[in-house]
Amino acid sequence: MKSSFYRYSLALAGLGAAAMLAPSMPAQAAWEPTRPVEFIIPAGTGGGADQMARTIQGIVSKHNLMKQPILPINKSGGAGGEGFLDVKGSDGNPHKIIITLSNLFTTPLATGIPFNWKDITPVAMLALDEFVLWVNAEKPYKNVKEYIDAAKAANGTFKMAGTGAKQEDQIITEAVQKSSGAKFIYIPQKGGGAVAVQLVGNHVDSTVNNPIEAVSHWRGGKLRPLCVFDGQPMPHKEQVADGKAWSDIPTCKSQGLDMEYLMLRGIFTTPGASKEVVDFYIDLFKKVRATPEWEAFMKSGAFNTTFMTGDAFVKWVAAAEKTHMGLMKDAGFLAK
Amino acid sequence: MEEIFNLFHGFAVVLQPYNIMVMAIGILLGVIIGVLPGLGGANGVAILLPLTFSMSPTSAIIMLSCIYWGALFGGAITSVLFNIPGEPWSVATTFDGHPMAQQGRAGEALTAAFTSSFIGALFSVVVITLVAPLVASFALRFGPAEQFGVYFLAFASFIGLSKEPPMKTVAAMMMGFALGAVGLDQMTGQLRLTFGFTPLLSGFDFLIAVIGLFGIGEILLTMEEGLRFKGRAAVINPKVVWETWKTLPKFWMTYARSCVIGCWMGITPAGATPASFMSYGIAKRLSKNGRNFGNGEIEGVVAPETAAHAAGKAALLPMLALGVPGSPTAAVLLGGLLIWGLQPGPMLFIEHKEFVWGLIASMYMGNVFGLLIVLTCVPFFAAILRIPFPIIAPIILVFCAIGSYSVHNNVFDVMMMMVFGVLGYFLKKTNYPLAPLVLAIVLGDKAEESFRQSLLASQGSLGIFFSNGLVGTIMVLGFIALFWSLIQEAWSRFRPATAA
Amino acid sequence: MSEESKATHPSGPSHRSVEIGVAIGLILFALIVIAGSLQVGVTWAADGPRAGFFPFYCGLFVLVASCINLYNAIQDPGGGLFAEWGQLGQVVSVVIPAGIYVALVPSLGMYVASALLIAVFMKWIGKYGWLMVAAVPVPVMIATFLIFEKWFLVPLPKGPLEEFLGY
């Protein structure tokens, strides 16, 4: 990890650049998996992390990027705690990697299970997932201000649905409350797809779904995006629905909701993994990122395609942990 | 009319020789997956997903959905033969299917199970073909309160009458609820009943409890009774399929009822497992032979299988139209769609017509193929019971262990399976009913979740369960089902009085 | 099933004592559940029940029902047998090898432990000759290995043998 060669972020640098870099990997870093690589998913089947892991599996096998297959295994118990503890306990097994989402931070903080991201070895940040504030298209509010006014007028009966409890969706909800002064009832659901459908069916008033979870309903004219919880608008300029593109959605900050939140889609491996092992996986994911399938996947989910490895990634994760600590402390979500 | 035209176009796509081949392979793989505990449908679909990338999306989804159909068929096989439900929705099939096998009627039970699956599935596919858009908008009306209503109804119609002492039923059922509650509480994100013990993080999976209580428990009972599966006497008669078919039409009422229950539960989307229990419970109450249910009544196989498959097929529709998977397998299929650039949701029906109707057509054809394949195998499956017990018993045990392990890739679960096995032996011998226990594990956490979601939304008011016509009707039906035996008794007292 | 056994030598634990045992076991279970629920809060908060609410009442129901069952069992004078000692011996002869098997899986791996279980079972309970004992478990487990590891890519626990063979 001390290698300075990859110590920069390829933030939004385009996939071509990654493709050019990949073959320049030093040839002597010759570790290769000798048996199938277990790809732990600390979330259930069908969710965002699961979709990404299975897409990676498909890309690796289709383009023959690795001699051994990748085996996605869902270990979703205890809000992903099961998966993290499994990787933590597989000291020195190089044939195991894990895809992370925000529960890398939230699960140990909320449940008190004995785990911290420093227990496992960081490999790379694959992408960042955006969060968008959605409302039902039948509702009259067209922008954040009208929405917040309606929420205030509802006097604490405005319902926000999200995935899980004390996880990213609820953290964002808390931050929205704090920033706007409106009160919401947060209703936890099992998965992002179910959350979006609850909104389409008008059982709740708003959600903070990831783009990929709600895009189809947007295109079907059922949902309306109000703002994105990011520092700048999303870069994807292709038209998606009612003449709008992802890039047309304003940032929440510009609309007076002071909240930024991005979810890590990163890769970690087992504790004590050697530099050769980490380099192999970094190289593998660079190759994955250079495929057209990955590009299509990123576009369909309006992902933020920041890629980081090495120290830059470690720094990012450490900062994100701090942010989560603060947010969860403010919300009173820390385990007693 | 446009639908019919689209469907015919879909048939044209499916009936290409390549797609027919893909379909047959899918069904066969599915049956294997369904038979082996440890390879769930979700598993098989997930693992084969990458292999289908070289195919066109339509061929690929035909293959994957056929694996799913095959697994639905296959789940019944181990339920009947060894009392081990390969899939959650075949638990109710064991109640009468396994006693039939013990009486030497395994072939009959399997034929009834397969045929019923076929009929249930066909019914749902027809419904999907005709009223797909309507169905999707109906599914949207189901919020947390309605969901709870559906679970309550499923529960109420299964409980209610039981031969076992009522206090034992209560104890067993509540034990199931408590076991189902172990792990992370979805609503507060808190761990509960884990006592700081890491393997308990993921809770007690239903499958592990079922494999232990039913599968291992059965082996122990068999050992006690002297070492042989009673089904050994089974005469393998190639005509068994035909003979059984002659007896099935008289259950038309059970079929009709189970089709409707299954289809409805699939759309709502409560899923195939509650549908099978509910259908079994209702058939038990309304059938002339109801009292004999549990002792090898063919109707007790027909009811759950029909409903499970009607639900299994119907659940695919909300997935396609709304992007909400009705089962883990459906969730993986959904992921597959995304990889091919097909975004599930309302637009799929408009932008990828060929794909959707190809899939619907493949449901018709996949079912016909599936039925043909599994029916030809019935005598072969029944012959498995002829393998001497000292050979087959440890092999079953091994597959039970593999099945339990692969639920969470955890050896602890294998130990729990053995504990459940011993527990199952004692509970069964002391007349504690296992079915309510299992149902409570399956439905308990889901019911609790939707109950608490509803109360969050209503800010603690129970009135939400009667707040609109839909949920109110479901709840009232649930209460009627729950107190059915009391109502029946009151009715029979009232009747003579008025007559006199 | 107990009718047959009465004709021979009816010796074994009484049904009553097992009933009492099961009821006591369930009472213990209920107490654990109640204790666990109390840890996370069993009250009804402003926005609905808390995490321990449901399990607490489930535990309470099990407790009450089991106490009634216990009372009934103690009152029951019936002298029926639960099972003969010989029959229980048969049951134990499955439970013990199976228990050892489960204990061996982490160290030996699923495949080797399973092959051993099948072999022991066939030899001990089935009284098969060595030829049969060798002929069944190995092919069965090789087939299982191919199906799970090779075709369906489901990794099962592996031990020294698989390590030696390079898996």
Side-chain angles (χ1 to χ4, degrees), chain B residues 90 205 319-320 348 482:
Chain B
S90 28
D205 194 274
M319 174 184 113
L320 290 175
L348 191 67
L482 193 61

Side-chain angles (χ1 to χ4, degrees), chain B residues 175 179 204-205 208-214 216-217 413 415-425 437 441:
Chain B
M175 185 164 105
L179 288 172
F204 290 98
D205 194 274
I208 292 156
V210 165
I211 290 176
L213 291 169
F214 287 69
I216 306 289
D413 288 336
M415 295 173 193
M416 283 321 300
M417 171 200 81
M418 280 308 297
V419 172
F420 274 116
V422 175
L423 185 75
Y425 168 76
L437 197 169
I441 298 183

Side-chain angles (χ1 to χ4, degrees), chain B residues 4-344:
Chain B
I4 304 291
F5 174 78
N6 286 333
L7 182 65
F8 276 111
H9 184 69
F11 274 122
V13 174
V14 171
L15 289 175
Q16 290 159 6
Y18 178 73
N19 285 343
I20 291 182
M21 187 191 77
V22 158
M23 208 150 57
I25 295 173
I27 296 275
L28 271 177
L29 282 173
V31 172
I32 294 173
I33 288 167
V35 168
L36 291 175
L39 295 177
N43 227 319
V45 173
I47 286 150
L48 296 172
L49 205 51
L51 304 184
T52 58
F53 288 147
S54 53
M55 306 175 181
S56 75
T58 313
S59 302
I61 201 77
I62 288 173
M63 178 165 188
L64 292 173
S65 61
C66 281
I67 291 173
Y68 182 42
W69 313 146
L72 278 167
F73 276 121
I77 297 169
T78 44
S79 304
V80 170
L81 296 184
F82 307 120
N83 206 27
I84 301 169
E87 306 288 346
W89 50 81
S90 28
V91 173
T93 311
T94 63
F95 299 159
D96 280 278
H98 188 62
M100 282 180 79
Q102 287 179 325
Q103 295 156 12
R105 292 156 68 205
E108 216 178 304
L110 286 172
T111 309
F114 294 149
T115 314
S116 308
S117 321
F118 173 74
I119 291 172
L122 197 67
F123 176 81
S124 274
V125 180
V126 172
V127 170
I128 289 179
T129 314
L130 298 180
V131 294
L134 253 174
V135 163
S137 64
F138 179 65
L140 274 176
R141 295 182 56 190
F142 279 74
E146 288 80 5
Q147 286 285 355
F148 175 76
V150 170
Y151 292 128
F152 176 69
L153 176 58
F155 219 88
S157 47
F158 185 73
I159 311 297
L161 38 124
S162 152
K163 274 176 271 173
E164 283 81 7
M167 276 306 130
K168 289 188 171 172
T169 309
V170 170
M173 191 172 87
M174 289 300 163
M175 185 164 105
F177 277 125
L179 288 172
V182 175
L184 188 91
D185 172 31
Q186 290 282 345
M187 300 303 293
T188 59
Q190 248 177 323
L191 291 174
R192 58 180 177 185
L193 302 180
T194 57
F195 301 99
F197 188 50
T198 319
L200 284 180
L201 274 185
S202 33
F204 290 98
D205 194 274
F206 155 82
L207 217 53
I208 292 156
V210 165
I211 290 176
L213 291 169
F214 287 69
I216 306 289
E218 186 66 25
I219 292 181
L220 298 181
L221 280 172
T222 312
M223 279 307 287
E224 182 199 274
E225 285 163 23
L227 277 197
R228 74 179 59 84
F229 273 123
K230 293 178 204 150
R232 203 172 163 194
V235 181
I236 287 133
N237 176 359
K239 279 196 219 140
V240 68
V241 173
W242 183 241
E243 303 283 324
T244 313
W245 272 5
K246 281 198 275 189
T247 67
L248 291 179
K250 67 174 182 233
F251 303 124
W252 65 272
M253 194 53 214
T254 311
Y255 275 113
R257 206 166 42 222
S258 307
C259 280
V260 173
I261 293 173
C263 193
W264 190 70
M265 294 291 272
I267 291 167
T268 48
T273 314
S276 63
F277 278 94
M278 184 170 160
S279 173
Y280 184 88
I282 290 183
K284 186 174 174 178
R285 282 169 203 204
L286 297 182
S287 161
K288 287 194 297 275
N289 308 321
R291 288 187 189 282
N292 200 31
F293 267 42
N295 301 326
E297 200 52 53
I298 197 161
E299 216 177 330
V301 175
V302 167
E305 280 289 316
T306 310
H309 288 244
K313 296 278 145 98
L316 210 74
L317 191 78
M319 174 184 113
L320 290 175
L322 302 173
V324 179
S327 72
T329 315
V332 178
L333 274 179
L334 194 94
L337 292 181
L338 287 167
I339 295 173
W340 291 300
L342 298 169
Q343 182 76 48

Side-chain angles (χ1 to χ4, degrees), chain A residues 51 58 73 188 197 203 216 219, chain B residues 53 140 324 338 345 351 409 453:
Chain A
Q51 281 173 21
I73 296 172
V197 169
H203 301 287
S216 174
R219 298 182 53 210
Chain B
F53 288 147
L140 274 176
V324 179
L338 287 167
E351 291 172 354
N409 296 284
Q453 282 169 349

Side-chain angles (χ1 to χ4, degrees), chain A residues 91-105:
Chain A
D91 207 336
N93 172 5
H95 297 97
K96 195 176 265 189
I97 53 177
I98 183 165
I99 187 165
T100 67
L101 42 155
S102 284
N103 64 357
L104 177 69
F105 313 113

Side-chain angles (χ1 to χ4, degrees), chain C residues 119-120 122-124 127-137:
Chain C
V120 166
M122 285 176 67
K123 187 72 201 160
W124 193 25
K127 313 270 187 277
Y128 283 98
W130 284 112
L131 192 69
M132 265 305 262
V133 171
V136 175

